[in-house]
Amino acid sequence: MQQEVLRLQEAGYGVLKQDAPEGELWVLTVLAPAEKTGVGPLTLSITIPDSYPLLPPRVTTSDLTMGHHQHPFSKDLCLIERSTENWIPDWHLDGLLDNQLRRAVAAGQATAGQGIDEFEQGEPFSAYYSYAEPAGFLIDSAGMDLPVGASGELEASFTQSNGPAKRLLVILNQMWKGADLVYQAPKELHAAFDPYPPTTIRGRWVTLDKPPATNDAKEIWQIAREACPVFPRHNNVPLEVLAVGFPEEHGADVTGMGWILVVKEPGGFLQKKGRGKGAPTPLKSSDSHRLVRAYRAGHSDLTFRAPETHGLETKKVAVLGCGAIGSMVVEHLARAGVGEFYLLDEDTLEPGNLARHAGALDTICTDKSSAMAHRIHQINPYARSTAKKLHIGLASLIEGQTETEFLATVFNSVDVVVDATVEVGVQQYSSLLAQDLGTMWVALEGSPGIAGGSVVKIDPAAEGCFGCFQWHQNTGSIPEPPVVHGGLIQPAGCASPTFTGTGFDLSVIALQAARVIVGALMRSTVGGYPEDGYDAHILSLREPGGRPIPPTWQGFQVSRHTKCGNHEVA
């Protein structure tokens, strides 16, 4: 540390104090002269983490109040972009200040349009408050950009789990301005929390012209309350809530309404420890206040981070087989934002399946299709799903229809049929039916031992079919994936053997299938996730001797094969 002090002094900084209390971090008090800051001398407090110099120090100053590049409460200066890749350990402390301090101060005090060269990002003021944890206030961004200076009543639901986290979750239901309804939560958002019976409460909301300049929940409550024309007190309620909105940055040159929730718990005594024996002494304040962070959970919020998937909410997918590999691809399609699923499987989810299955213990002993419908609901409450227990190939009527009639109805109603049955007979049957109906068809499977796998897409307008793909593999123009021989095992109680292999190897195939399916679904969408241009994808995960290798994919076109009997001869 002495070397750092000497470097600072040689660079023209005054080191006023250096302190390292036993068991604590080094803290330097440094005077930066005017020529180093561009605004006059500044007293800086520099805290050195024990990870220094691999990670940067923390620099604060109370001599400035800037609208950007400074935490409004802790007074931390943002001298580098948040990613640690922008920190250069060879700078040392003097280099960090010489290279970044004057630039950060200029940018922090600049007004819009001054052309300061800086990293483009918004600085939402709501990110600076100290929040109660674990807790959340769920809102839908689509309805929350309300005008400044407005106020009214709200209705919310809250749940407070009794598990280890003891999470408080508040869902905003409705907001009124007078008699006018100005916000209505999506019904799907409420349905996502049906297993946890909520308590409905009434409260108030208000939009201010600027964020409250305090980090104290009680003070924010008072500021917002003064801005409400009417503020009734609700007696005999477990919580009182006040939603506070204010303009803030949502991105570079993007402004929107930020929100926080102030929760007041009436009637509880805050306590201080007594000096002598006996019970703690109650303080005079009988109300406790805490801030709860707003989390955006609307449909557009869930897909905002993946713009290439926007539009999937209108797409429908049928999945045949919700076992290990089928469950994984369903989960990824749900996360991507697919709007509707039709799930078919004959089997029941067992505890042992969870080594490779996307389900969880809360859905064991239920149909695998139902387990995955529940999983979809947990991930993306805006997606719709229909689950049915069905054994394809069983000689029986289904809802008064033949098997082919029933599946044709399903296939006609979706954009893509996904066959994850890993049953060659079912694959041949479903692919021909999909092709006859003009529906896109995708099959995925792992080879024995999950030494490799394949993903095959058959476009209804393409020359080749799944039969052509099989002939290409039989004749060697498309390779077979590698296998691990003897890769079968029969768990106790199971009626038939199953394949061996890990879930993480199987997930490589499911991920590729999700990419292929999403690319096909987004084909006609401008800016959508692109297709890779291949019909067949062959994966290698093992060498011939069984040694694992990095996942290696090969792509192929499936042209019409002369030996395939699925095509009429002209």
Side-chain angles (χ1 to χ4, degrees):
M1 189 51 57
Q2 195 57 39
Q3 181 187 9
E4 294 287 349
V5 170
L6 291 173
R7 289 180 64 101
L8 284 167
Q9 292 172 334
E10 290 172 358
Y13 297 93
V15 179
L16 306 180
K17 184 180 179 182
Q18 46 183 309
D19 191 20
E22 187 175 351
E24 297 185 19
L25 303 177
W26 274 93
V27 179
L28 304 180
T29 303
V30 174
L31 180 64
E35 61 269 20
K36 300 287 190 178
T37 69
V39 294
L42 295 176
T43 301
L44 309 174
S45 176
I46 305 177
T47 303
I48 313 297
D50 58 0
S51 53
Y52 180 85
L54 296 178
L55 296 178
R58 175 187 175 194
V59 182
T60 67
T61 181
S62 297
D63 295 346
L64 281 177
T65 298
M66 302 192 300
H68 291 84
H69 303 293
Q70 185 181 33
H71 195 294
F73 306 124
S74 67
K75 298 301 182 180
D76 283 57
L77 294 174
C78 181
L79 298 184
I80 60 173
E81 289 82 9
R82 293 180 183 178
S83 174
T84 55
E85 69 182 23
N86 298 296
W87 161 244
I88 302 175
D90 289 344
W91 271 351
H92 295 273
L93 299 181
D94 60 301
L96 172 65
L97 299 181
D98 278 349
N99 285 284
Q100 301 297 107
L101 179 59
R102 188 183 185 108
R103 177 170 168 257
V105 170
Q109 295 191 324
T111 57
Q114 284 192 342
I116 300 296
D117 180 25
E118 59 177 327
F119 183 75
E120 290 191 1
Q121 71 175 51
E123 294 185 31
F125 200 94
S126 58
Y128 294 121
Y129 292 109
S130 298
Y131 294 106
E133 293 183 349
F137 176 43
L138 298 189
I139 63 175
D140 180 1
S141 292
M144 296 299 288
D145 274 333
L146 299 174
V148 167
S151 63
E153 288 194 76
L154 66 80
E155 179 191 273
S157 300
F158 80 92
T159 63
Q160 194 158 10
S161 65
N162 294 318
K166 293 187 177 179
R167 176 191 64 181
L168 172 67
L169 193 63
V170 181
I171 305 170
L172 180 61
N173 299 339
Q174 295 176 315
M175 297 168 66
W176 297 270
K177 182 181 179 183
D180 297 330
L181 183 68
V182 295
Y183 173 88
Q184 174 70 57
K187 64 181 185 299
E188 295 90 349
L189 186 56
H190 288 282
F193 299 95
D194 281 346
Y196 313 99
T199 300
T200 301
I201 51 177
R202 298 293 286 259
R204 299 286 296 179
W205 64 273
V206 62
T207 53
L208 308 176
D209 61 353
K210 59 183 178 181
T214 174
N215 200 26
D216 184 273
K218 186 173 183 179
E219 291 177 5
I220 295 174
W221 179 278
Q222 293 298 334
I223 292 169
R225 180 170 180 171
E226 291 171 4
C228 289
V230 179
F231 199 98
R233 181 179 178 89
H234 299 277
N235 296 319
N236 301 318
V237 293
L239 296 176
E240 290 185 49
V241 294
L242 174 57
V244 184
F246 43 80
E248 67 172 7
E249 295 179 2
H250 284 180
D253 301 319
V254 178
T255 302
M257 191 63 67
W259 289 89
I260 56 177
L261 184 73
V262 192
V263 175
K264 182 167 77 167
E265 298 180 73
F269 280 94
L270 301 175
Q271 300 191 344
K272 64 179 180 181
K273 184 180 288 188
R275 292 186 177 180
K277 296 181 180 179
T281 305
L283 299 175
K284 292 182 179 179
S285 173
S286 62
D287 294 335
S288 64
H289 299 75
R290 49 181 166 162
L291 291 181
V292 177
R293 183 173 182 174
Y295 291 97
R296 296 168 187 268
H299 187 272
S300 61
D301 298 313
L302 297 190
T303 59
F304 184 80
R305 291 166 173 80
E308 286 185 326
T309 66
H310 292 175
L312 283 180
E313 66 274 8
T314 65
K315 305 301 183 181
K316 302 176 183 180
V317 175
V319 181
L320 314 183
C322 295
I325 198 168
S327 71
M328 291 178 181
V329 76
V330 166
E331 176 166 339
H332 287 292
L333 293 177
R335 293 188 187 281
V338 168
E340 189 165 350
F341 293 84
Y342 207 108
L343 309 174
L344 303 174
D345 195 284
E346 64 171 304
D347 207 0
T348 300
L349 183 63
E350 301 180 20
N353 295 142
L354 300 182
R356 298 186 293 234
H357 199 276
L361 281 171
D362 62 346
T363 51
I364 59 171
C365 307
T366 63
D367 301 339
K368 288 180 178 178
S369 56
S370 298
M372 286 317 299
H374 176 70
R375 185 64 175 148
I376 291 168
H377 184 66
Q378 289 180 313
I379 294 168
N380 178 5
Y382 302 98
R384 300 169 300 283
S385 59
T386 301
K388 188 168 184 64
K389 187 168 186 176
L390 177 66
H391 184 164
I392 298 176
L394 195 64
S396 62
L397 294 178
I398 306 166
E399 298 177 2
Q401 297 177 298
T402 66
E403 186 172 74
T404 300
E405 289 172 339
F406 174 79
L407 289 177
T409 301
V410 174
F411 288 13
N412 265 326
S413 68
V414 300
D415 299 290
V416 174
V417 173
V418 180
D419 192 318
T421 62
V422 198
E423 289 279 355
V424 65
V426 177
Q427 291 170 338
Q428 292 169 338
Y429 171 52
S430 68
S431 66
L432 287 173
L433 180 58
Q435 194 165 22
D436 287 344
L437 297 170
T439 304
M440 184 81 68
W441 181 88
V442 175
L444 65 155
E445 64 177 283
S447 61
I450 320 299
S454 62
V455 177
V456 185
K457 177 187 68 177
I458 302 300
D459 192 309
E463 284 189 359
C465 66
F466 181 63
C468 295
F469 167 74
Q470 293 176 301
W471 272 108
H472 279 296
Q473 287 200 310
N474 290 339
T475 57
S477 50
I478 294 179
E480 297 267 5
V483 301
V484 172
H485 294 289
L488 288 176
I489 194 169
Q490 186 165 1
C494 288
S496 58
T498 185
F499 65 94
T500 60
T502 66
F504 52 79
D505 279 337
L506 203 63
S507 68
V508 178
I509 307 165
L511 287 169
Q512 177 63 18
R515 296 173 68 200
V516 170
I517 295 163
V518 171
L521 289 172
M522 300 299 291
R523 177 180 296 171
S524 59
T525 303
V526 177
Y529 191 88
E531 294 184 274
D532 62 18
Y534 297 110
D535 302 321
H537 309 75
I538 306 300
L539 171 67
S540 296
L541 288 170
R542 300 281 183 117
E543 293 178 342
R547 179 180 177 180
I549 59 174
T552 304
W553 285 98
Q554 295 175 275
F556 301 89
Q557 303 295 336
V558 177
S559 59
R560 183 176 296 186
H561 199 282
T562 56
K563 293 186 177 182
C564 180
N566 292 334
H567 305 281
E568 294 182 2
V569 179

